[in-house]
């Protein structure tokens, strides 16, 4: 709630109805000092006297006509079913220039009542609804802080005066509320599900139990869960009677859907269908957990543009100790995808609990797959088979993950239903034509936005045919997309790579028992096969380990052991490049886990030297180049990168964004369309750089601070959680001088 202003911004506010909401609104506005005067009018004369005595209002009027004549803004805080009669009464007075708003929870009934009273919907009528309340009612329960931190929905209509809308928004913001806009019909539908139906169920459950023979025993031994759920049954019965009548149609639709689902659950209990019950319970638990995260603004579905997290990296420090970085994101994505399409149960260990991977997991839950976890990296997937996915209730949101979106295109092109794929602001700016175009050759139809960007609409039910496709550029995502589509295609699908790329999809398909052939740079798969559930252990992500490999290499007096890192031959470009630059880097305890080679990596400080990066290593280190640019800036001599056009279409244009940041820090360089030339050896300075929402850019500049002369402030780092949720804490544990600032 705002503090009282020096000069009121608006004239006289009249509150009609001094119940909990009306009294609290009057008190909050008066306390904020945003109106010159706060008046009230109510049929309950005692409530008026109490309100004035307690300082809720400045004054009151017993006659409505007298109150309206003085008012500039009128708040209708009366029961919904009384709204029409109050509006009819107001229609007898001169309302020229007077703004009218309300606090009711049904908006359609308000607009219908306004049309009856005035013959049309007045432009100065601004419907509003605070999402706040209390078990207590009446003027005695009024509190100025009631709306602080809560949402208020305003529902503009077609004829609304936007000046009046701005005034009402300002009033609600003065109470401490967060003001949002919503369509009238959508408002009533959403409130029917999120507020009205739960109240109806709580009233019904308590009534059922209260009229039973053993009601005393039931209530005596009721646990906290029962008390929490039924608490809302203590709300004002008259108010809720009015709400259910006013919003009857939307409430009945919500009740019908709930009853149908409840009948299915009852049938599952009768037949002891444990998988159906587990599906309901796991989806409900995840949804509830997600709601809690949304309340704290940490949900993976929250657009990253709403967050502004900066890294503050102080210069210097040695990097020492032993760490294990999170699980490989590429393998985590694929384990959920193939496990969901498999027959039987798949158990995953080491799953990356980052926002990208969680978005993939949630998408398969939305398509009817029962998934337990993740819990400390463990996930259990109850596969539905190749053709067992069901249409999602809405678009699948994939957060910031280009990997997920491109692989989903191939997988979903073979389904019998249509699907829409969406993502955050960053993902929505990335081109998807590189997968949509070859899929079109297979018979798929994927509708994109301008320049091939998301959201994507994937047509279902179309027959796919196998093709031979020579990729114009090396891309594991495109290759994997076509292989997944190939499982649903008639005949063989053959993908020819211009250079080797990561082969996690091929390895995992083999682990799930799906036959395919790899011959040099050609991968061939035949449609019509099946997947069998299996056990997957996800190794630590070499892309995440790369930040610490470079850190220990460039920071003086450092020695770091990074354990259980995946060293797939198609991913070790960063190791090969650092070794050519002179890094002191050794592999220990090499072994194979779940079909993937892993090792512990020991790194010691070394003086790096500039090199011309070999062309055959570029596809093997494509995700690691941001931090390799930092290594190049600290090396003696010039480092040259060519043939890396793909870096320009990642989460950001990584060549240009890194170049801009390095130049800000005093590094000399030259960019080229397919790469960069970096002059190493000079002192890296301090300054403020932009990550442009790219997680790898943000972490790379945090590493650069180890050799900087001043503090580096890195903007827009919220997306680090998409791939490396505990990066800051892990970095601090080995010697980084790094912290975050919101």
């Amino acid at each position: 709630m705002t503090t009282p202003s020096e000069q009121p911004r608006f004239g006289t506010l009249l509150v009609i109805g001094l119940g909990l909401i009306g009294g609290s609104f009057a008190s909050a506005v008066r306390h904020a000092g945003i109106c010159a005067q706060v008046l009230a009018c109510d049929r309950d004369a005692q409530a008026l006297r109490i309100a004035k005595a307690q300082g809720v209002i400045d004054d009151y009027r017993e006659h409505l006509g007298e109150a309206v004549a003085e008012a500039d803004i009128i708040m209708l805080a009366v029961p919904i079913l009384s709204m029409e009669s109050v509006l009819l009464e107001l229609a007898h007075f001169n309302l020229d220039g007077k703004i009218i708003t309300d606090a009711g929870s049904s908006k359609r009934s308000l607009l219908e009542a306004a049309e009856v009273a005035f013959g049309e919907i007045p432009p100065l009528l601004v419907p509003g609804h605070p999402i706040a309340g209390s078990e207590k009612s009446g003027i005695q329960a009024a509190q100025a802080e009631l709306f602080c931190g809560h949402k208020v929905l305003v529902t503009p209509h077609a004829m609304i005066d936007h000046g009046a809308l701005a005034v009402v928004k300002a009033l609600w913001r003065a109470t401490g509320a967060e003001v949002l806009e919503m369509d009238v019909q959508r408002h009533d539908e959403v409130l029917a599900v999120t507020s009205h139906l739960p109240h109806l169920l709580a009233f019904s459950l308590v009534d059922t139990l209260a009229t039973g023979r053993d009601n005393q025993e039931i209530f005596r031994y009721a646990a906290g869960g029962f008390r929490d759920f039924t608490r809302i049954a203590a709300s004002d019965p008259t108010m809720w009677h009015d709400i259910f009548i006013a919003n009857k149609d939307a409430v009945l639709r919500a009740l019908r859907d709930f009853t149908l689902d409840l009948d299915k659950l009852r049938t599952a209990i009768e037949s002891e269908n444990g998988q159906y019950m587990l599906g309901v319970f796991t989806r409900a638990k995840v949804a509830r957990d997600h709601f809690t995260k949304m309340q704290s603004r940490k949900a993976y579905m929250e657009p990253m543009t709403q967050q502004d997290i900066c890294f503050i990296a102080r210069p210097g420090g040695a990097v020492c100790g032993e760490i294990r970085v999170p699980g490989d994101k590429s393998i985590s994505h694929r384990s959920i995808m193939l496990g969901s399409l498999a027959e039987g149960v798949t158990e995953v260990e080491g799953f990356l609990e980052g926002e990208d991977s969680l978005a993939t997991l949630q998408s398969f839950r939305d398509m009817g797959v029962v998934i337990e976890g993740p819990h400390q990296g463990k996930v259990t997937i109850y596969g539905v088979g190749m053709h067992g996915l069901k249409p999602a209730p809405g678009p699948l949101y994939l957060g910031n993950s280009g990997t997920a979106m491109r692989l989903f295109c191939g997988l979903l092109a073979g389904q019998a239903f249509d699907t829409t794929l969406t993502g955050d602001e960053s993902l929505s700016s990335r081109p998807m034509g590189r997968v949509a175009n070859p899929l079109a050759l297979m018979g798929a139809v994927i509708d994109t936005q301008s320049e091939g960007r998301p959201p994507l609409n994937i047509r279902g039910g179309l027959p796919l045919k196998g093709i031979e496709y020579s990729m114009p550029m090396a891309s594991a995502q495109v290759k994997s997309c076509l292989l997944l589509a190939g499982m649903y295609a008639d005949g063989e699908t053959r993908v020819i790579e211009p250079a080797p790329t990561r082969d996690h999809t091929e390895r995992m398909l083999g682990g799930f028992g799906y036959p395919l052939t790899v011959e040099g740079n050609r991968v061939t798969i035949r449609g019509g096969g099946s997947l069998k559930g299996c056990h997957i252990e996800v190794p630590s992500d070499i892309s995440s380990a790369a930040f610490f490999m470079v850190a220990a290499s460039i920071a003086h007096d450092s020695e770091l052991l990074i354990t259980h890192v995946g060293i797939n031959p198609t991913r070790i470009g960063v190791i090969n490049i650092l070794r050519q630059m002179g890094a002191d880097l050794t592999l220990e305890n090499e072994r194979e886990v779940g079909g993937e080679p892993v090792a512990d990596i020991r790194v010691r400080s070394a003086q790096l030297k500039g090199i011309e990066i070999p062309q055959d290593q570029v596809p093997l280190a494509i995700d690691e180049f941001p931090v390799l640019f930092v290594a190049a800036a600290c090396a003696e001599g010039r480092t040259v990168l060519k043939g890396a056009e793909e870096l320009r279409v990642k989460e950001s244009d990584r060549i240009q964004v890194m170049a801009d940041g390095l130049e800000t820090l005093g590094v000399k360089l030259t960019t080229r369309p397919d790469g960069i030339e970096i002059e190493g050896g000079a002192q890296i300075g301090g300054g403020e750089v932009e990550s442009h929402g790219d997680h790898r850019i943000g972490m790379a500049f945090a590493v650069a601070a180890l050799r900087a002369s001043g503090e580096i402030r890195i903007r827009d780092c919220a997306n680090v959680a998409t791939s490396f949720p505990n990066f800051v804490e892990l970095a601090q544990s080995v010697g980084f001088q790094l912290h975050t600032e919101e």
Side-chain angles (χ1 to χ4, degrees), residues 557-579:
D557 303 320
S558 296
E559 181 174 349
L560 184 67
L561 184 67
I562 314 167
T563 64
H564 200 74
V565 180
I567 54 168
N568 185 299
T570 62
R571 296 286 301 279
I572 58 173
V574 63
I575 293 176
N576 297 335
I577 291 168
L578 283 173
R579 280 176 166 170

Side-chain angles (χ1 to χ4, degrees), residues 489-506:
D490 181 27
E492 288 186 345
T493 298
R494 182 174 294 110
V495 183
I496 303 171
E497 300 184 272
T501 64
R502 59 187 64 176
D503 63 355
H504 300 307
T505 300
E506 297 95 302

Side-chain angles (χ1 to χ4, degrees), residues 10-30:
F10 309 116
T12 295
L13 168 69
L14 169 63
V15 178
I16 301 176
L18 278 179
L20 170 69
I21 298 298
S24 297
F25 182 75
S27 180
V29 170
R30 184 171 185 266

Side-chain angles (χ1 to χ4, degrees), residues 31-240:
H31 179 82
I34 197 170
C35 288
Q37 183 179 212
V38 177
L39 296 180
C41 187
D42 194 293
R43 292 176 181 174
D44 185 342
Q46 184 174 349
L48 292 171
R49 291 192 291 271
I50 291 173
K52 184 174 181 180
Q54 293 184 348
V56 171
I57 58 176
D58 292 306
D59 207 347
Y60 60 85
R61 302 291 181 264
E62 295 183 356
H63 301 291
L64 184 59
E66 181 183 350
V68 170
E70 296 184 52
D72 299 294
I73 307 165
I74 301 172
M75 160 60 76
L76 304 178
V78 298
I80 290 177
L81 293 189
S82 302
M83 197 69 72
E84 184 174 332
S85 63
V86 173
L87 289 171
L88 285 168
E89 196 171 352
L90 286 177
H92 290 97
F93 307 123
N94 180 5
L95 299 176
D96 289 347
K98 299 181 189 296
I99 297 171
I100 303 174
T101 188
D102 81 310
S105 64
S106 173
K107 300 292 95 176
R108 190 184 66 174
S109 61
L110 170 72
L111 296 183
E112 289 174 350
E115 283 195 281
V116 170
F118 302 110
E120 62 178 4
I121 300 175
L124 296 182
L125 174 62
V126 182
H129 176 209
I131 312 298
S134 170
E135 295 176 21
K136 299 178 180 180
S137 59
I139 187 61
Q140 294 88 345
Q143 48 183 307
E145 299 80 14
L146 181 66
F147 310 109
C148 285
H150 289 272
K151 293 179 175 61
V152 170
L153 303 178
V154 293
T155 57
H157 50 82
M159 303 301 295
I160 200 162
D161 179 283
H162 289 280
L165 177 63
V167 170
V168 171
K169 285 184 174 182
L171 287 176
W172 278 117
R173 291 192 182 105
T175 71
E178 177 187 0
V179 183
L180 306 173
E181 288 190 23
M182 184 177 284
D183 174 76
V184 169
Q185 181 177 349
R186 182 62 177 156
H187 168 276
D188 287 2
E189 291 173 349
V190 168
L191 268 294
V193 174
T194 59
S195 176
H196 302 169
L197 180 62
H199 278 82
L200 185 69
L201 298 178
F203 282 124
S204 177
L205 177 60
V206 174
D207 180 60
T208 298
L209 297 179
T211 55
R213 288 181 299 175
D214 299 324
N215 60 68
Q216 292 297 322
E217 294 298 301
I218 289 172
F219 288 114
R220 180 176 295 123
Y221 298 112
F226 176 82
R227 292 193 298 272
D228 290 342
F229 176 72
T230 59
R231 174 187 58 80
I232 56 179
S235 302
D236 183 352
T238 301
M239 177 185 75
W240 282 102

Side-chain angles (χ1 to χ4, degrees), residues 277-296 298-301 336 351 353-355 357-375 378-382 397:
M277 287 188 280
L278 190 59
V280 172
F281 301 156
T282 53
R283 287 194 300 272
K285 180 186 185 303
V286 170
R288 184 62 180 84
D289 291 345
H290 175 59
F291 172 75
T292 302
K293 291 176 182 178
M294 284 180 66
Q295 292 298 92
S296 62
K298 295 179 181 178
Y300 70 84
M301 289 184 65
I336 298 298
F351 177 80
E353 297 184 41
E355 293 181 2
S357 306
L358 291 173
T360 292
L361 188 153
Q362 182 60 36
S363 293
F364 279 94
R365 280 196 174 112
D366 290 343
M367 290 187 287
V369 181
V370 177
I371 303 175
E372 293 184 63
H375 178 66
K378 294 184 178 181
V379 178
T380 302
I381 308 163
Y382 296 86
Y397 179 85

